Amino acid sequence: MSTLPSPLRTTLAATLLTGLALGGCSDRELRPLNPCTVSGVAESVKVDNIENVDLLFMIDNSNSMSQEQASLQNEIPRLVRVLASGDTDEDGTQDFPPVRSLHVGVVSSDMGTGGFLVPTCGESNFGDDGILRTSGNVAIPGCMASYPSFLEFRPADGGDPSAFAAEVQCVAGMGTNGCGFEQQLDAILKAVTPSSSAITFHSGTVGHADVENSGFLRQDSLLAVLLVTDEDDCSASEPELFNPSSTRFSGDLNLRCFQFQDVAVHPVERWVNGMLATRPDRDLLVFAATAGIPPAVNRG
């Protein structure tokens, strides 16, 4: 789903990822026939009268994502600079009014395996659970161990875009120790769904938007979701799918998300409807993905 607002004014979404060239694939433990991530997709998305932008990164943190995460890290400073300055081509000319307030939050694709012990995942029940990350990567020079649940930047207050971008890099640089069963769409949905919603998640749990992630998503903001992954979504409606000993979902554990997607993985419509529920004005919702493309498609 991609809601492409018009008329034109504030450039967002995949334009900010132009030049994000993601490298080749590493070996994976889950999905031996994984697609390679080839490139980003660029598209201009502009909206009238937008002052507040809430930018949510969903970053795949499985063990094949080191190159992709490194490429994203390199692109973050330009993304922040464009939003803070309104200058898309560094010619010193403002191409659109800069945003007044930028919120940036980060979630991972790790939503656990329902408590089943799975290689690369352990036996985590909920994983990172769509909760905005507060841990910083202290291996990156200058990074602290912890940060607020979301970062805020107001260009008019005289803040330094480079310093802010460095903070985003500290939080986004989460590493690749996450579960190899990626549940990208449920991670996004749980992050922005309020606890009062009828939408529920694993074990009947509810969304975090107004509790753990409170304050990130504002009523009048443009919500921009940027997903970076090299795998299909496996947001499971049946956690038994992850059980290595399951008799109901038998066969190669690596291929179950594909083989049983119609019966054990949430339909994408659930995510689409849930995201649209956060933004009755669809012009205030943008989704962009830098995702895997099967090599055969790329050659075609």
Side-chain angles (χ1 to χ4, degrees), residues 40-238:
V41 176
E43 186 162 4
S44 294
V45 179
K46 303 182 179 183
V47 183
D48 256 352
N49 302 319
I50 294 299
E51 296 183 348
N52 299 325
V53 175
D54 298 333
L55 176 59
L56 178 65
F57 284 105
M58 197 308 303
I59 301 174
D60 184 339
N61 64 337
S62 62
N63 62 10
S64 67
M65 285 291 296
S66 58
Q67 291 178 324
E68 291 87 340
Q69 286 193 25
S71 295
L72 176 62
Q73 289 280 303
N74 291 336
E75 189 64 18
I76 286 173
R78 190 175 71 86
L79 184 154
V80 173
R81 179 192 59 77
V82 168
L83 285 174
S85 68
D87 180 5
T88 61
D89 50 13
E90 297 187 89
D91 63 354
T93 300
Q94 191 177 87
D95 300 304
F96 61 88
V99 298
R100 293 192 179 182
S101 175
L102 172 64
H103 283 183
V104 178
V106 180
V107 295
S108 82
S109 57
D110 188 343
M111 297 289 283
T113 56
F116 293 107
L117 179 61
V118 180
T120 78
C121 301
E123 53 184 341
S124 171
N125 204 10
F126 294 101
D128 295 331
D129 202 35
I131 296 175
L132 296 174
R133 288 180 55 83
T134 60
S135 297
N137 186 345
V138 294
I140 300 174
C143 289
M144 300 184 297
S146 63
Y147 289 86
S149 59
F150 61 90
L151 302 171
E152 182 172 11
F153 183 65
R154 294 179 176 270
D157 292 346
D160 180 0
S162 297
F164 180 77
E167 291 185 328
V168 176
Q169 289 173 311
C170 289
V171 179
M174 63 183 70
T176 58
N177 294 320
C179 181
F181 278 116
E182 297 94 327
Q183 301 187 63
Q184 301 95 323
L185 299 186
D186 250 21
I188 295 168
L189 187 59
K190 196 164 189 179
V192 300
T193 296
S195 59
S196 57
S197 171
I199 298 173
T200 58
F201 301 85
H202 172 52
S203 294
T205 56
V206 296
H208 299 307
D210 55 343
V211 186
E212 291 87 347
N213 297 343
S214 178
F216 167 71
L217 187 58
R218 293 166 288 188
Q219 185 175 3
D220 62 345
S221 67
L222 174 63
L223 171 59
V225 178
L226 302 183
L227 179 152
V228 182
T229 185
D230 67 351
E231 271 289 348
D232 293 341
D233 176 66
C234 191
S235 296
S237 57
E238 296 280 352

